Amino acid sequence: MYTLSKNLKLSAIIFMVVGALLFAVDAMYMPSSIADIEAMHAGDDHGESHDTAVSGEGHEAHEAIATAKGHGDDHAVASHQAEEGHAMSEAEHNQHLLDGYKNKPWSAVYVAAFFFFMISLGCLAFYAVQYASQAGWSPLLLRVMEGITGYLLPGSIIMLILLALSGFHFNHIFHWMADGITDPTSENYDKLIAGKSDWLNVPWLLIRAVIFIAGWNAYRFFAVKFSKEQDEATDNRSHKKSFKLAALFLVFFLYTESMMSWDWIMSIDPHWFSTLFGWYVLAGMMVCGITTIALITMILKGAGYLQSVNDSHIHDLAKFMFGFSIFWTYLWFSQFMLIWYSNIPEEVTYYIQRIEDYNLPFFGMLIMNFLFPLLILMNSDFKRVNWFVVMAGIVILLGHYVDIYNMVMPGTVGQAWSFGFVELGSLMFFFGLFVLIVFTSLTKRPLEPKRNPLIEESKHFHY
Amino acid sequence: MASTVIHAIYTDDDVLMNAVKEVKKKHLHINDIFTPFPVHGLDKAMGLAPTRLAITAFLYGCVGITVATVMMNFIMIEDWPQNIGGKPSFSYIENMPAFVPIMFELTVFFAAHLMVITFYLRSKLWPFKKAENPDVRTTDDHFLMEIDATGKDGEELANFLVTTGAVEINLIANEA
């Protein structure tokens, strides 16, 4: 049995407290009126209060673009607060920035919450694949996966609460939730969004979210229950039940994951749509889930647990990290290239905004998510060296945080983006929460399944 | 100089593996082993150096992506930068997404084909090559280990090989 060490628990709590403090302090100093924005613009004192150099540069770059294009540029159209497409006056422009700043703390929480939720969901899908494919190498790692998916319930409830808060107008992350947007008599009326309102309306969004979350958590609950039963059983009935359940779950998961990605991510840019978006989110999810399995396995093995795990298991996980990183890149590029090539205005604005305003994170994540793992994890020998895999894993996880950031931020904060204390704070908070919950749930049952039918094969797994 | 070799024939890959370990322990030199199918772990037991084919494939892939980039940069950007459907042909990077499928395919093409040709060259395989088969049964269900027996007591060696499970032992003297 694994016991949670005091140091780990304390570090996780410190991460949460420090994260929450950083978040609160920075959120307090967010510009709250047009006057604040004007003060930030005045003179050369960008970022005098709390903002980092990054956000200062952001403003300069943005001003340059705005001047060059006479305030009626493409990304004003792309940005959902200004779909009229007419030239923006200075006041409107400042209002636009202010809306972004108001969204900033909310979006920072949303990105971090989704990122850690996505790790546990990706891990759950990988877990189900192990059962459905009757993999012989992985049973030793099943308990690690069960531990990571322990975050699924809290993580998905946090996501549901965040969605509900958006639905009750506590923030403006989802533009399609705005008042009067589907009402032809309102000045907020948006014909395109009104046309999608059969799908995009708050009650139906929340009902869907509840169905998805209930389904995923039900699978997790029963899979863990069956795996516990199998430990004490005298036959393989629980294992077979788990096998069938895993197959059913994977069908359910593929549909719900796709819809979840439309609802929770794609609808942030409600004028834009992409058919392979669900796959793209799925690929990122799987990479993060597998990377986290590898990292936690190595931590546990390093601490003297999981003695039977050998470097062939790590090698296999590293192969999956490598393969899914490339799969993610394939989908990223397919989506980007198809839209770039055809250059249809209603689709391409999505990328214009990201390339103009988010250039560094947008292309930087390609180095972190593709080039780095490609070169580091290609060599078979490197995949057996723990610190190489750890290094690649950390870069991959950070890269996929940036990926989620790129999906959410342009539609919510637009040009007001930066990686400041709200983002860092919420990332630290959820990291601490994730570590606390995952390692606590690892203490709940023995780390090695006792009589899984494939456990002997897994113990002698050798590549 | 006349050299002698011993051909020891086995009928089971497990027995063969153990025999290889025994022979290695005695510090006898194994010239070659002929098997009808790949025996997992045989190369490790024989102490063969790992293959470097994967490294050559990586380098060939690098050549492929370079060829693709240089070719398309010359044709599409430098030599005749036309406006084709509004695609930006001012610099390579601006039009790069359109070139990526070709860059990818040529990388794979070069890596795969040149590696296969390297394999043929290194293992000396070609269409009209004369088969080097010491015993036709080794392509069906027999395993043959060839041991250098020059200057050794053939009788003693043969007796030792029988204890390792060989079903047939032939002493072959090459007059050269």
Side-chain angles (χ1 to χ4, degrees):
Chain A
M1 286 292 269
Y2 172 72
T3 44
L4 187 64
S5 75
K6 273 221 172 63
N7 284 339
L8 189 69
K9 198 174 175 179
L10 192 66
S11 323
I13 291 171
I14 289 173
F15 259 97
M16 288 173 70
V17 172
V18 173
L21 281 176
L22 284 179
F23 177 84
V25 169
D26 197 16
M28 233 157 55
Y29 283 101
M30 278 292 149
S32 55
S33 68
I34 302 264
D36 289 351
I37 302 265
E38 278 163 355
M40 281 172 66
H41 276 258
D44 218 11
D45 54 353
H46 304 296
E48 30 85 36
S49 58
H50 62 287
D51 267 335
T52 56
V54 179
S55 85
E57 282 164 21
H59 293 306
E60 273 168 357
H62 151 256
E63 277 175 343
I65 292 165
T67 332
K69 297 197 174 176
H71 292 237
D73 51 308
D74 289 347
H75 58 257
V77 185
S79 196
H80 62 239
Q81 285 100 339
E83 44 282 303
E84 304 89 348
H86 63 72
M88 270 208 252
S89 70
E90 189 65 26
E92 276 177 316
H93 174 71
N94 284 343
Q95 180 60 44
H96 185 168
L97 268 185
L98 181 65
D99 289 340
Y101 278 111
K102 279 185 182 158
N103 270 335
K104 210 164 174 283
W106 286 100
S107 308
V109 170
Y110 193 82
V111 170
F114 184 83
F115 177 65
F116 285 100
F117 155 78
M118 158 180 116
I119 290 177
S120 64
L121 186 60
C123 186
L124 187 73
F126 192 68
Y127 177 81
V129 171
Q130 300 312 305
Y131 267 101
S133 63
Q134 305 184 43
W137 66 279
S138 57
L140 272 178
L141 308 172
L142 289 176
R143 291 293 156 86
V144 178
M145 298 184 209
E146 284 170 17
I148 296 171
T149 54
Y151 182 76
L152 185 71
L153 184 63
S156 54
I157 288 173
I158 291 169
M159 285 307 294
L160 184 64
I161 292 171
L162 285 175
L163 289 172
L165 288 177
S166 295
F168 296 124
H169 301 298
F170 282 84
N171 59 45
H172 194 73
I173 288 184
F174 296 92
H175 182 56
W176 58 266
M177 290 175 178
D179 275 329
I181 200 122
T182 57
D183 175 11
T185 58
S186 163
E187 61 168 16
N188 272 341
Y189 180 64
D190 184 320
K191 202 177 170 194
L192 287 174
I193 292 175
K196 297 180 181 183
S197 60
D198 285 346
W199 182 266
L200 289 183
N201 59 72
V202 175
W204 184 211
L205 174 95
L206 293 178
I207 292 169
R208 281 198 304 270
V210 168
I211 294 171
F212 303 161
I213 288 171
W216 303 329
N217 281 295
Y219 169 68
R220 201 259 166 190
F221 175 80
F222 284 108
V224 169
K225 182 167 164 269
F226 291 150
S227 101
K228 246 188 248 175
E229 280 173 11
Q230 180 66 24
D231 267 8
E232 311 303 328
T234 49
D235 55 17
N236 287 335
R237 267 177 48 215
S238 301
H239 183 79
K240 285 181 186 163
K241 276 195 273 185
S242 202
F243 167 74
K244 286 177 197 153
L245 192 65
L248 280 175
F249 166 73
L250 284 172
V251 175
F252 175 79
F253 172 75
L254 223 56
Y255 283 101
T256 51
E257 187 277 334
S258 201
M259 287 188 257
M260 178 274 279
S261 73
W262 312 334
D263 283 359
W264 300 6
I265 306 275
M266 199 159 79
S267 81
I268 286 172
D269 297 283
H271 286 171
W272 181 78
F273 49 87
S274 162
T275 34
L276 59 72
F277 195 77
W279 292 100
Y280 172 64
V281 173
L282 174 79
M285 208 177 245
M286 296 297 280
V287 185
C288 292
I290 293 162
T291 305
T292 310
I293 297 169
L295 292 180
I296 291 185
T297 305
M298 282 183 282
I299 291 170
L300 290 175
K301 190 169 162 57
Y305 304 94
L306 291 173
Q307 290 295 339
S308 318
V309 170
N310 56 42
D311 57 3
S312 290
H313 293 101
I314 303 297
H315 188 268
D316 256 32
L317 285 169
K319 272 190 281 191
F320 271 112
M321 283 159 64
F322 177 73
F324 273 104
S325 286
I326 291 171
F327 180 58
W328 174 88
T329 316
Y330 165 64
L331 291 172
W332 178 86
F333 182 71
S334 301
Q335 181 170 282
F336 173 72
M337 199 262 248
L338 286 174
I339 289 174
W340 172 87
Y341 212 115
S342 58
N343 204 17
I344 299 171
E346 61 258 44
E347 285 177 354
V348 84
T349 44
Y350 184 82
Y351 284 113
I352 288 177
Q353 191 191 11
R354 276 158 183 78
I355 290 171
E356 285 189 351
D357 296 340
Y358 289 73
N359 200 292
L360 181 67
F362 188 65
F363 291 112
M365 77 173 174
L366 277 185
I367 295 171
M368 298 170 86
N369 290 344
F370 173 61
L371 219 53
F372 190 78
L374 177 84
L375 295 175
I376 287 289
L377 293 177
M378 193 187 293
N379 189 319
S380 182
D381 294 331
F382 290 177
K383 287 198 276 269
R384 292 169 186 281
V385 182
N386 280 4
W387 69 270
F388 255 99
V389 181
V390 170
M391 189 172 62
I394 290 170
V395 173
I396 288 174
L397 285 179
L398 290 177
H400 282 278
Y401 171 80
V402 179
D403 183 25
I404 305 296
Y405 187 93
N406 282 331
M407 288 188 217
V408 172
M409 291 297 183
T412 58
V413 304
Q415 291 153 351
W417 74 277
S418 66
F419 189 82
F421 285 147
V422 272
E423 285 83 6
L424 184 67
S426 44
L427 189 59
M428 282 173 73
F429 177 81
F430 281 100
F431 175 74
L433 187 68
F434 182 81
V435 168
L436 194 64
I437 291 174
V438 166
F439 281 87
T440 308
S441 82
L442 281 170
T443 61
K444 296 278 169 62
R445 58 195 78 86
L447 284 180
E448 210 170 274
K450 226 177 288 169
R451 54 180 309 287
N452 182 305
L454 296 158
I455 191 76
E456 280 307 312
E457 185 181 340
S458 181
K459 278 182 189 169
H460 298 107
F461 173 67
H462 165 76
Y463 165 72
Chain B
M1 200 189 102
S3 70
T4 45
V5 293
I6 282 189
H7 283 175
I9 293 179
Y10 298 85
T11 50
D12 188 279
D13 47 339
D14 279 341
V15 178
L16 175 75
M17 282 292 282
N18 284 324
V20 171
K21 283 169 196 158
E22 294 285 314
V23 170
K24 276 283 178 196
K25 242 185 255 168
K26 283 230 165 195
H27 299 294
L28 293 167
H29 183 254
I30 301 173
N31 282 351
D32 215 341
I33 294 181
F34 297 83
T35 65
F37 53 78
V39 178
H40 187 75
L42 188 61
D43 51 339
K44 283 217 175 72
M46 288 170 72
L48 297 182
T51 173
R52 288 168 298 186
L53 264 185
I55 298 169
T56 66
F58 178 76
L59 296 174
Y60 296 146
C62 295
V63 173
I65 201 166
T66 311
V67 167
T69 310
V70 170
M71 176 184 79
M72 287 184 295
N73 185 50
F74 177 72
I75 297 172
M76 304 300 291
I77 309 296
E78 283 174 10
D79 190 37
W80 200 339
Q82 288 189 97
N83 182 343
I84 303 169
K87 286 281 161 279
S89 51
F90 308 109
S91 71
Y92 192 77
I93 195 77
E94 271 183 299
N95 210 359
M96 200 186 78
F99 301 145
V100 165
I102 297 160
M103 290 160 72
F104 171 77
E105 294 295 350
L106 279 187
T107 307
V108 175
F109 181 88
F110 272 64
H113 289 84
L114 292 182
M115 178 183 76
V116 167
I117 293 169
T118 308
F119 167 73
Y120 287 151
L121 292 175
R122 290 291 290 152
S123 40
K124 301 189 180 69
L125 286 176
W126 64 88
F128 300 103
K129 182 192 165 71
K130 195 173 172 298
E132 299 165 0
N133 199 345
D135 190 316
V136 287
R137 291 171 300 171
T138 60
T139 62
D140 185 7
D141 60 352
H142 283 59
F143 303 81
L144 188 149
M145 182 174 8
E146 186 181 293
I147 294 171
D148 183 19
T150 312
K152 291 205 171 74
D153 183 351
E155 182 102 17
E156 190 195 318
L157 213 50
N159 286 336
F160 162 67
L161 288 170
V162 168
T163 64
T164 64
V167 293
E168 189 182 319
I169 288 162
N170 303 313
L171 188 69
I172 291 158
N174 298 320
E175 299 296 336

